[in-house]
Amino acid sequence: MNAPHLQRALLDGYVVDTDPARLDVERIHTWLSTDAYWALGRHVDVVRRAIAGSVSFGVYAADGAQVGYARLVTDGATFGWLCDVYIDRSARGLGLGSALARAIVDAVRPLQLKRLMLATADAHEIYLQAGFVLHPNPEQVMVLAAEQA
């Protein structure tokens, strides 16, 4: 996807950057595989493949340390799926999750996607603040889970 490069100040010296060279893949893998309920046990090779096929958004502290991550799977024209959104436990409560969600929405707005979707069990308020709404027709949404494929 030809996503525009994004490097943007979030708050208090934190920045979001889509430069894949800045990503700390080992840290992302640790976060996802040990602390993210949706990705527990995910193998590092899966994380690397997912990063390679996505637009990644890293969140970095003023000292350059990565403190957050999100990835966008999209065709760049009609649809996007926001996933693997994670803020390090040491940086939670600062508003970084909300700031990251808004930055991602702003970054994809020029693409004029028909739909940007996500799934969350516990962060509805963060995404509502960024403009997401509950799916208006949940009866139209279907899924084929890995164990069913």
Side-chain angles (χ1 to χ4, degrees), residues 91-113:
R92 291 185 187 169
L94 303 174
L96 291 173
S98 296
L100 174 59
R102 285 190 304 274
I104 293 168
V105 168
D106 290 347
V108 301
R109 189 166 278 121
L111 300 175
Q112 298 180 331
L113 302 178

Side-chain angles (χ1 to χ4, degrees), residues 7-22:
Q7 186 174 31
R8 172 174 149 176
L10 292 180
L11 49 95
D12 297 329
Y14 291 92
V15 298
V16 61
D17 193 344
T18 57
D19 181 357
R22 287 190 73 178

Side-chain angles (χ1 to χ4, degrees), residues 6 10 18 20 79 115 134:
L6 171 70
L10 292 180
T18 57
F79 180 79
R115 188 169 288 115
L134 295 177

